[in-house]
Amino acid sequence: MSILVEYDGTMERIFEGKKALVVGGTGGIGKEVSVRLMGLGAEVTALGRHPLEGAVFLDINLDCRENWGIISERAARTDIVCCVRGPFLQKCLEDTTAGEWDAVVGANLVFPGMLVSAALPHMMESGWGRIAFLGGTRTDIVRGFKTNAVYGAAKIGLSSLVCSVSEHYGRYGITCNAVCPGFVDTEYTGEQEKKVLAAKNPDGELISAEDVAESLLFLMKNPVYNGVVLKADKGWHPKFG
């Protein structure tokens, strides 16, 4: 016996007329997220390095914390916040400086946390909101890292933030999720590095930026998914190299 369910496209229409802020939204995974949100009717403000057709473009240097207030003000009027920016640091703990700690944790945890705090009041008042983050490889649970411990610690903290928002603000129609990708094919990676990273994956292929973006949109569409920290790494493990 088969049951036919007519799909009315309701999930595809939930972004129509919503205001979205995509940090890192003009390149790589972020660009794919921005394009998909615009295709689903959202009004996208994209923060990045290059203009993006159809989106409001913000060219703001986030390495200067004095500029964070500008983004915070924008987030306070936003229905959808998606942060896919997260500078990486590969360095042993004994060689990491205080400045590097501050910069990496600031970019990967403090800044996203500030966006959440700024966005929540408007989302609570309107009874609807979507927050999505890009985590780090294998940062879905607490674990140790040999050469990227600072970055890993910040991204694991981001996973805790996801859980905190989902548990306490879900009753306002707000969801918060994250995707933790593996090695992704973007324009920010050189050809030789792409070959090295691809060889580490079980199937010898990099993950596409489109697939990661689709994972983020999948989590944002359905309110059933709240507090999810989703691995999207093809099952990669350090034992693969």
Side-chain angles (χ1 to χ4, degrees), residues 62-123:
L62 293 182
D63 292 330
C64 177
R65 296 197 184 189
E66 293 180 356
N67 294 332
W68 285 14
I70 300 172
I71 308 304
S72 179
E73 291 175 3
R74 178 75 64 161
R77 306 188 302 272
T78 300
D79 307 301
I80 302 166
V81 172
C82 186
C83 184
V84 296
R85 179 182 183 265
F88 181 73
L89 177 68
Q90 186 142 18
K91 205 169 188 182
C92 293
L93 278 172
E94 68 269 23
D95 297 323
T96 305
T97 66
E100 288 168 333
W101 266 103
D102 183 62
V104 174
V105 177
N108 287 286
L109 182 57
V110 179
F111 177 76
M114 178 206 69
L115 290 180
V116 169
S117 294
L120 281 175
H122 168 71
M123 293 180 177

Side-chain angles (χ1 to χ4, degrees), residues 155-193:
K155 288 296 191 181
I156 289 172
L158 195 64
S159 296
S160 176
L161 176 62
V162 165
C163 295
S164 296
V165 175
S166 65
E167 288 180 13
H168 297 288
Y169 297 93
R171 65 183 183 273
Y172 296 102
I174 301 168
T175 70
C176 185
N177 300 291
V179 172
C180 297
F183 303 124
V184 182
D185 187 358
T186 73
E187 67 269 29
Y188 303 121
T189 307
E191 292 304 315
Q192 185 57 40
E193 186 180 3

Side-chain angles (χ1 to χ4, degrees), residues 215-235:
S215 298
L216 283 164
L217 266 292
F218 170 78
L219 293 175
M220 286 193 283
K221 286 178 183 178
N222 195 329
V224 168
Y225 302 107
N226 197 10
V228 175
V229 180
L230 178 68
K231 289 176 60 180
D233 59 9
K234 294 189 175 183

